[in-house]
Amino acid sequence: MTITLMRHGKSAHPTSGRFSCGEMVAWCIAYDRAGICDQPPASSLQAAQQAGILVCSPLPRARASLKALGRQAQEVATLYREAELPVPPLRFPALPPVLWLVLLRLLWLCGYARQAESYKAACARAARAADKLADYATQGDVLLVGHGVMNRLIARELRKRGWQGDKPGRRHWGSVVYRGPGERVR
């Protein structure tokens, strides 16, 4: 009984340039609509082939990643979607998107949500996702193609439920395997 949490491939949306905070709204929308620009490594292909049940976020970068893995999902659901970033209505300063992503995620972790899903709500969604993945795992090995932050929140919930595995990394195509409560780690 295993659940593998895999992060999607590298987004095809460019990360260069400088944007005001207000301009980051359009940047985030374009990022969410983008596919991927790389191919999965052999370890990701192997993990996908070993999984009996595949679930996926509906965002294009996750769906394109699953396609690159040569598999189709049994379920594509917003339950596994990345946690949104809150973007305050500031017109300054102009910063690189990567820096904005870090700053906005830190604000989100500190409780600022504006019109985005709150940290508390994302944690509750991650708990529901962990329960659903655990239910799927009773039928076979599961692979979730998801996102960095949401995969980490789901992983925390799985560990609370007695699943064993490392914390997910931040790399594209990175994956971590969780073994069910009471199962031996190989």
Side-chain angles (χ1 to χ4, degrees):
M1 205 164 62
T2 67
I3 298 171
T4 301
L5 304 178
M6 183 181 292
R7 187 175 180 212
H8 58 79
K10 184 178 180 180
S11 173
H13 189 61
T15 58
S16 59
R18 296 174 81 79
F19 301 90
S20 70
C21 191
E23 293 168 330
M24 281 301 293
V25 172
W27 189 94
C28 288
I29 290 169
Y31 180 82
D32 280 346
R33 291 182 179 161
I36 59 170
C37 65
D38 63 354
Q39 292 298 309
S43 59
S44 296
L45 290 167
Q46 182 180 9
Q49 290 307 313
Q50 291 174 346
I53 300 167
L54 289 93
V55 295
C56 184
S57 159
L59 292 176
R61 61 189 181 271
R63 295 184 77 163
S65 297
L66 189 61
K67 185 177 179 182
L69 292 167
R71 299 294 307 270
Q72 292 185 344
Q74 280 81 5
E75 179 187 29
V76 177
T78 57
L79 184 64
Y80 311 111
R81 179 185 171 93
E82 180 64 296
E84 296 174 354
L85 287 169
V87 182
L90 301 174
R91 296 281 175 223
F92 62 89
L95 299 172
V98 174
L99 185 54
W100 272 124
L101 294 175
V102 171
L103 292 173
L104 295 173
R105 188 58 74 196
L106 287 172
L107 281 172
W108 182 76
L109 288 169
C110 291
Y112 178 76
R114 195 162 189 253
Q115 295 168 341
E117 176 182 41
S118 70
Y119 174 69
K120 184 177 179 179
C123 289
R125 182 164 56 93
R128 291 191 308 275
D131 289 339
K132 189 148 192 185
L133 292 171
D135 285 345
Y136 277 134
T138 63
Q139 303 166 34
D141 292 339
V142 180
L143 171 67
L144 165 63
V145 179
H147 306 276
V149 172
M150 186 50 64
N151 280 359
R152 285 190 288 281
L153 294 176
I154 293 169
R156 183 173 63 192
E157 292 297 326
L158 288 171
R159 288 191 304 272
K160 283 181 185 178
R161 290 157 176 73
W163 289 75
Q164 297 178 16
D166 295 329
K167 292 182 181 180
R170 289 176 166 72
R171 294 178 301 119
H172 294 104
W173 296 113
S175 63
V176 62
V177 177
Y178 285 85
R179 304 215 179 279
E183 292 206 18
R184 299 180 72 189
V185 176
R186 296 179 216 169

